[in-house]
Amino acid sequence: GAVVSQHPSRVICKSGTSVKIECRSLDFQATTMFWYRQFPKQSLMLMATSNEGSKATYEQGVEKDKFLINHASLTLSTLTVTSAHPEDSSFYICSASGGAGNSNQPQHFGDGTRLSIL
Amino acid sequence: SQKIEQNSEALNIQEGKTATLTCNYTNYSPAYLQWYRQDPGRGPVFLLLIRENEKEKRKERLKVTFDTTLKQSLFHITASQPADSATYLCGTGRRALTFGSGTRLQVQP
């Protein structure tokens, strides 16, 4: 089945550090990937849609200069949290589908990245 | 925008019983609803997708229904097992998914 790999699984770093999270589709090509954020006991909240070869589309309230997204190939999207602060601590999850990102296709999720900013 | 509502209270049932989880949507009738399982510290795993014109979908011990009149989907796990304990998410969307908050299921041995 379709596999999405996310790395790293856990990051602990000091305030002000920039952190890069990678999301790879291992056995399929993904023109579209999605980045979500999840707080404890809450739902996944969509942050942005990552489009291969073009700019990401950010949801309202998500700072594009804070959360940099790059989708340079059909199998890799990266999320960089720039100058991270404690309020950025969260669980970040990416997903992709084998299709064009339509809701008639199941989403395949990575295992998430637990980011903790001290 | 679409809002998905799931019972945020945990559901505790005895092993062997049928678990029933509810998902309600508030606005337009979605073309599809998807159900996922999420274990602690892990990403969601796809379980079932049901289309608007499908009343019911089954996969092994899982069954999903879609009632456009009630704006509701029900997710059933028959002959539940302790290994079924997890949080179950309902989601829909035209492209990216909007999820409910999930319902935590605890199956007691």
Side-chain angles (χ1 to χ4, degrees), chain A residues 17-28:
Chain A
T17 306
S18 291
V19 178
K20 180 186 281 189
I21 302 169
E22 293 187 348
C23 181
R24 294 179 185 274
S25 56
L26 297 186
D27 50 0
F28 67 100

Side-chain angles (χ1 to χ4, degrees), chain A residues 31-51:
Chain A
T31 56
T32 304
M33 291 185 175
F34 302 101
W35 287 96
Y36 295 85
R37 182 174 180 174
Q38 186 176 35
F39 291 105
K41 296 186 179 180
Q42 292 188 25
S43 183
L44 282 76
M45 298 299 296
L46 179 68
M47 297 176 65
T49 300
S50 174
N51 305 298

Side-chain angles (χ1 to χ4, degrees), chain B residues 7-64:
Chain B
N7 190 347
S8 58
E9 291 184 20
L11 178 63
N12 291 289
I13 64 168
Q14 207 67 31
E15 181 177 9
K17 300 293 185 183
T18 296
T20 299
L21 286 71
T22 304
C23 172
N24 294 291
Y25 56 92
T26 58
N27 290 333
Y28 60 87
S29 183
Y32 310 87
L33 277 169
Q34 301 190 32
W35 283 88
Y36 291 77
R37 168 183 173 142
Q38 187 177 24
D39 291 285
R42 307 293 296 273
V45 174
F46 172 75
L47 296 175
L48 280 169
L49 180 154
I50 186 165
R51 294 177 173 78
E52 185 180 20
N53 61 355
E54 295 176 318
K55 296 295 184 186
E56 183 179 295
K57 198 80 166 279
R58 290 176 184 261
K59 179 183 175 182
E60 298 173 353
R61 294 185 294 111
L62 309 180
K63 185 178 83 171
V64 174

Side-chain angles (χ1 to χ4, degrees), chain A residues 6-8 11 13 16-23 35-37 47-48 50 56 58 62-72 76-85 88 92-94 113 115 117:
Chain A
Q6 192 172 335
H7 179 81
V11 180
C13 58
T17 306
S18 291
V19 178
K20 180 186 281 189
I21 302 169
E22 293 187 348
C23 181
W35 287 96
Y36 295 85
R37 182 174 180 174
M47 297 176 65
S50 174
Y58 290 82
V62 178
E63 298 177 57
K64 63 180 181 180
D65 295 329
K66 174 75 171 177
F67 299 99
L68 300 179
I69 291 173
N70 184 276
H71 196 150
L76 174 65
S77 174
T78 61
L79 168 69
T80 300
V81 184
T82 61
S83 186
H85 292 285
D88 299 322
Y92 294 86
I93 312 176
C94 69
T113 298
L115 176 62
I117 308 298

Side-chain angles (χ1 to χ4, degrees), chain B residues 28-108:
Chain B
Y28 60 87
S29 183
Y32 310 87
L33 277 169
Q34 301 190 32
W35 283 88
Y36 291 77
R37 168 183 173 142
Q38 187 177 24
D39 291 285
R42 307 293 296 273
V45 174
F46 172 75
L47 296 175
L48 280 169
L49 180 154
I50 186 165
R51 294 177 173 78
E52 185 180 20
N53 61 355
E54 295 176 318
K55 296 295 184 186
E56 183 179 295
K57 198 80 166 279
R58 290 176 184 261
K59 179 183 175 182
E60 298 173 353
R61 294 185 294 111
L62 309 180
K63 185 178 83 171
V64 174
T65 63
F66 195 165
D67 189 324
T68 56
T69 301
L70 294 177
K71 293 190 174 182
Q72 182 179 83
S73 174
L74 297 179
F75 177 81
H76 306 271
I77 305 176
T78 59
S80 60
Q81 305 165 2
D84 295 326
S85 299
T87 295
Y88 292 85
L89 301 169
C90 169
T92 189
R94 293 198 169 102
R95 207 159 176 242
L97 292 174
T98 297
F99 287 98
S101 57
T103 298
R104 175 161 170 72
L105 172 67
Q106 188 71 40
V107 181
Q108 306 291 345

